Amino acid sequence: MHPLVRSAREHAADGDVPAALDALAVLASGSPEFTDWIATDRLLGRLTADGAAAGWPRRTVRVAVLSSHTGAQLTACLRTAALAHHVLVETYESGYRTYEQEVLDPGSGLYGFAPDVVVLAVDHREVRVGDGDDADEALARETDRWTGLWQDLQERTGAVVVQHTFVPPVDDAWGELGASSPTGRRRTLRRLNLALGDHAPAGVHLVDAEAVATTVGGAAWFDSRYWYAAKQAVGLGAVGLLAQRTVDVVAAALGLGRKVVVLDLDNTLWGGVIGEDGLGGIVLGGGAEGEAYADFQTFLRGLRRRGIVLAVCSKNQPADARLPFERHPEMRLALDDLVAFEAGWDTKAVMLRRIAADIGVGLEALVLVDDNPLERAAVRHELPQVGVVELPAEPSGYAAALARFPGLQSATVTAEDARRTEQYRARRRGRELERKSGSREDFLRSLGTVATVEPRDETNRARIVQLIAKTNQLNLTGRRHTDTEVDSLAREPGAVVWALRVRDVFDDHGLVGALVAVPLDASTLRLDTFVVSCRVLGRDAERAFVGALVEHAAASGRSRVLGEFVPSDRNEPAASILADVGFRRLQETGGAVQRWELVIGQDEVHVPEHVAVRRPDPAPALTAGLTTT
């Protein structure tokens, strides 16, 4: 039995279910071993059976697994893999080779399950291209078939769709011609994978199953014993890694990925100890070990360009810690690549908390990369929310260990993602200015904040869906509309779908907010979804955004705006938004949803004077009840 499974059982026996789940989450963050993961799934079922896990997960997600092969093992491993993200998964599993029937039948069990995510776990046997077919025609026909299934799923469920790509079989009757001949099976499958990638709309994501097969080896992936005995298309030595990669994509699509890689320095970014060995004594470049450290830094720069931000957390004298960044010729990372630089003699847990607070993220956004196993164990114990990478002994394996760590996938890359490092640094500068300002009002006036409201279009629709999926703190309702669902709401006559951009003296923070409002009747507009990124928390941009909607409603001849607040354990910062603007709470009829109302011309509307608002449909200020604060 794996030690972490044993530890989880001991915690469960003591009645400490959260500690048991924390232990299993650590197991799920490492390399998957099938027997350990199946044992974890069995224990997980007992831990969650009576609601004892309430309060532990960041989110519970309903996942439907539609397979072209026997999928029970994959489904079990998906539940285990989700623990690495502090997510609990409820699953629905289709019967053997019934995936297409389930999608096409509106009365199938799939639609009764109402999934948040649909996983199409399909293998190469499902590609309907024969040896004698015209390659181009067959490829177009097959592309249309799969994209048609995606469209049906999105229209009927609004779910995120995740599909496994097709892995070309190792043993091909065409031999090496299979990769080059126009009708070769390998070439056809790879062309189809590329075509599906080109045609995937927003809300549809692919898992590169061929990359998984390459990682584990063709013999482990294509273990024909399992196929003939149980119609299991993926070997048991590969199914855990496939589940891990699948859940990683799901987490990214749902906004549950990690954002910040926090780096130790000595024997992590370079070999040796800078405070003892000096600038000329550390190992970096110029040899096998030194090149491995340098290439790891290059990999980290690639993460930064994709929107993952980097920080330093090192037990070191600050001047010593900065010296290689400033003077070593082989350094690939610069101080400008970092959003935070913590060097000193506090514990790593204290420094990690400080980093999270300074850049305004939760601890669950952090991933620690540290060569010291004692430091890793201490952080896992003190801060179970933080991801901790288990580094190998040799630096040549550092990049692979980090690349495979759960939570660092990206569903999309937007312009805001590419600028995240600059935006987080601007956030830190803003916090420093706030600490130095004489009052909060002086600080807010000094920012020169400009909020620009823009309608949804092709340039911002991906970012709007990303914000709805990932925003937790300034989120009024917790609704997680997909792109398809936003489309449906936007088609309602009189509906409003807006994005919000914010800039100030420190930075252009980019697109940081989204709202969806729909008319209930000729006189009433209902605020369905409202999210603003925590990167502008405390700037009153959220009040300005709601105020702009109220002005739009007035200009459109409506007499009231309704809003809702659904409390959760993460959105407390949003609790006062509606009241601060001037909404009145309605009499409750039971349930968790708070309902709020603003009557135009009767209720005072409070908008912040220090935020300049640019709207797509400028309207005169409300004729009654408009005040600035």
Side-chain angles (χ1 to χ4, degrees), residues 202 453-465 468 482-491 496-500 511 514-516 616:
V453 178
E454 61 185 36
R456 175 176 178 259
D457 58 26
E458 289 304 313
T459 66
N460 60 30
R461 64 185 296 164
R463 175 61 175 165
I464 287 174
V465 173
I468 292 173
T482 64
D483 188 69
T484 302
E485 290 170 328
V486 174
D487 257 343
S488 178
L489 291 168
R491 284 195 292 269
V496 178
V497 182
W498 280 350
L500 177 71
L511 201 156
L515 68 79
V516 179

Side-chain angles (χ1 to χ4, degrees), residues 247-305:
V247 170
D248 234 14
V249 171
V250 169
L254 296 178
L256 298 172
R258 299 186 186 270
K259 303 174 184 177
V260 187
V261 171
V262 184
L263 302 158
D264 180 47
L265 296 179
D266 295 328
N267 294 310
T268 300
L269 290 189
W270 54 72
V273 178
I274 184 63
E276 297 176 1
D277 301 323
L279 192 64
I282 63 173
V283 179
L284 184 60
E289 185 180 3
E291 287 179 12
Y293 284 113
D295 287 347
F296 180 49
Q297 291 190 27
T298 299
F299 175 80
L300 292 166
R301 290 189 66 190
L303 292 181
R304 179 193 182 282
R305 287 192 292 270

Side-chain angles (χ1 to χ4, degrees), residues 31-219:
S31 298
E33 169 57 46
F34 182 74
T35 54
D36 294 334
W37 278 39
I38 292 300
T40 295
D41 182 59
R42 294 194 186 107
L43 178 56
L44 177 62
R46 296 197 293 272
L47 292 174
T48 57
D50 58 0
W56 182 85
R58 298 170 64 193
R59 189 167 169 188
T60 298
V61 180
R62 298 169 66 82
V63 178
V65 182
L66 308 184
S67 296
S68 65
H69 48 83
T70 302
Q73 295 90 343
L74 175 64
T75 302
C77 288
L78 289 172
R79 291 190 289 263
T80 295
L83 295 175
H85 304 268
H86 281 238
V87 169
L88 294 180
V89 168
E90 299 173 1
T91 54
Y92 170 88
E93 186 183 335
S94 70
Y96 169 63
R97 293 198 71 189
T98 61
Y99 69 94
E100 200 162 16
Q101 298 95 302
E102 292 261 4
V103 175
L104 297 177
D105 178 8
S108 70
L110 164 69
Y111 297 114
F113 178 66
D116 303 306
V117 177
V118 176
V119 176
L120 285 166
V122 291
D123 72 292
H124 70 92
R125 298 171 183 85
E126 294 304 305
V127 176
R128 299 168 187 172
V129 178
D131 289 344
D133 293 344
D134 178 278
D136 292 337
E137 289 183 6
L139 184 66
R141 183 174 62 249
E142 200 58 3
T143 302
D144 288 345
R145 182 168 77 90
W146 291 104
T147 56
L149 294 177
W150 298 344
Q151 183 175 354
D152 287 344
L153 285 169
Q154 288 192 307
E155 289 178 351
R156 292 174 182 170
T157 68
V160 170
V161 178
V162 176
Q163 178 165 330
H164 297 164
T165 61
F166 301 102
V167 181
V170 173
D171 300 315
D172 185 348
W174 283 77
E176 295 313 305
L177 287 175
S180 57
S181 172
T183 56
R185 188 69 171 174
R186 290 183 200 168
R187 179 182 174 90
T188 297
L189 291 172
R190 287 172 177 147
R191 287 184 66 196
L192 178 57
N193 288 337
L194 293 173
L196 294 179
D198 290 340
H199 287 82
V204 174
H205 309 277
L206 300 181
V207 174
D208 189 350
E210 188 173 3
V212 178
T214 300
T215 301
V216 301

Side-chain angles (χ1 to χ4, degrees), residues 546-576:
V546 177
L549 180 69
V550 173
E551 287 200 358
H552 170 82
S556 302
R558 303 189 189 278
S559 59
R560 68 174 186 156
V561 180
L562 295 181
E564 294 177 349
F565 177 66
V566 183
S568 73
D569 58 352
R570 305 187 71 194
N571 71 345
E572 184 179 352
S576 66

